[in-house]
Amino acid sequence: MALIDFRIRAHRAARPIRSIGDSLVSLGQHVTFYVRTVASIPFALTKYRKHVLGQISEVSFGTNSLLSGGGTIGIVFAMSLAAAMMLGVETHRGLELVGMTSLSGMLSAVANTRELAPVVVAIALAAKVGTGFTAQIGAMRISDEIDALDSMAIRSIPFLAGTRVIAAMICVIPIYMIGLLASYLSTRLVVVFFNGASAGTYDYFFHLAISPQDLLYSGLKAIVFAAVVALVHCAYGFYASGGPAGVGQAAGRALRTAILAIGILDVLMTFGLWGLVPEIPGMGV
């Protein structure tokens, strides 16, 4: 009995160590998957062009129609409208307290371009497209379709993950531009039409604060976010297990990981691209 009790206590004491070990193994699997997927992108572009085009259509328009489920474009447009509307409301209220409502256009140009538009499009991609990637690849994993691809000498990572990463990075550009335009229009609508600010003053400071460099950096952030979202969700689907329930759990974990990665990358890229003390073009600050 004493020996049995000792073994039970030793087994319980080793649980945290085994948990840490399992986490490290999972992290190593995912990092290896990310490296192999990025390295396979040229191969996927040359060998699986038709599949890339099919993924681009699916990511952009859902079931090939903007009216059927709204597609990713419709979701990004709606989310950008709502988020930018609240930005306009809070921007005008905050500046009104210090008597500087004329700078609403400047804050709209800076906040929408540098932060709001890239993050909104990334979250929309993670919630709609990314979870779809996890479900599709996860279903193939539990039904042994990925093993069947390998047995037919089809490289599963370029075919399944590489093509989806390429599609996400290509499709995010027009989707991001639509979201950015919706953000600009929504903020201007709130500040100028709902709060009665001067349209000329708003437009003057808006055009003074925005620059081509900001738009380029903002688009770069959106592309990087899209690649990270696709990589994370494809990895969780590729290593899914436990039947349909396991695929659902993998999709949830992938979404949480992608959103966390977007938040961390957003901070790092903002500091890296605009510096710890950012400058506003045309404002001398």
Side-chain angles (χ1 to χ4, degrees):
M1 290 294 295
L3 180 60
I4 295 176
D5 291 341
F6 175 77
R7 288 179 176 178
I8 293 175
R9 288 195 294 269
H11 180 76
R12 291 176 178 175
R15 285 179 181 175
I17 299 176
R18 287 197 301 271
S19 177
I20 294 174
D22 292 341
S23 299
L24 292 176
V25 170
S26 178
L27 178 62
Q29 281 183 333
H30 282 253
V31 172
T32 303
F33 180 87
Y34 300 153
V35 173
R36 292 179 62 187
T37 301
V38 173
S40 70
I41 287 178
F43 181 83
L45 276 174
T46 56
K47 298 297 183 179
Y48 305 126
R49 289 189 295 271
K50 291 184 179 179
H51 196 65
V52 170
L53 294 176
Q55 290 298 328
I56 289 174
S57 175
E58 181 65 24
V59 170
S60 300
F61 302 105
T63 54
N64 299 321
S65 173
L66 285 172
L67 301 178
S68 179
T72 309
I73 292 177
I75 291 177
V76 170
F77 187 82
M79 289 180 62
S80 299
L81 281 176
M85 189 171 293
M86 293 309 302
L87 173 67
V89 171
E90 297 303 327
T91 294
H92 189 79
R93 286 180 177 178
L95 292 175
E96 193 174 26
L97 295 176
V98 294
M100 299 178 66
T101 55
S102 59
L103 296 180
S104 297
M106 178 195 71
L107 291 183
S108 171
V110 173
N112 282 320
T113 306
R114 298 184 182 183
E115 301 297 335
L116 188 64
V119 171
V120 166
V121 73
I123 293 176
L125 282 174
K128 188 176 188 301
V129 177
T131 51
F133 286 171
T134 305
Q136 292 167 359
I137 299 177
M140 296 180 68
R141 168 60 70 185
I142 65 173
S143 61
D144 296 328
E145 291 183 38
I146 295 179
D147 295 332
L149 289 175
D150 292 332
S151 67
M152 292 186 293
I154 297 176
R155 296 170 59 182
S156 56
I157 289 182
F159 183 76
L160 297 176
T163 54
R164 284 171 168 82
V165 171
I166 296 169
M169 294 175 67
I170 293 175
C171 293
V172 77
I173 299 173
I175 295 173
Y176 157 76
M177 294 175 66
I178 291 173
L180 185 63
L181 177 61
S183 300
Y184 290 157
L185 294 177
S186 181
T187 305
R188 191 180 190 280
L189 181 68
V190 169
V191 174
V192 174
F193 291 95
F194 292 164
N195 290 295
S198 171
T201 302
Y202 179 93
D203 292 339
Y204 172 77
F205 282 103
F206 177 86
H207 291 291
L208 191 65
I210 199 170
S211 70
Q213 181 179 347
D214 281 355
L215 293 174
L216 178 63
Y217 286 166
S218 180
L220 178 62
K221 287 178 69 173
I223 293 173
V224 172
F225 291 165
V228 170
V229 165
L231 285 170
V232 169
H233 282 271
C234 289
Y236 274 95
F238 195 83
Y239 293 113
S241 61
V247 175
Q249 293 172 0
R253 288 193 293 267
L255 182 59
R256 293 192 296 269
T257 304
I259 292 176
L260 179 61
I262 290 168
I264 295 174
L265 279 175
D266 181 54
V267 175
L268 295 178
M269 292 192 70
T270 297
F271 288 155
L273 294 174
W274 286 283
L276 295 176
V277 183
E279 298 180 357
I280 301 176
M283 299 295 293
V285 293

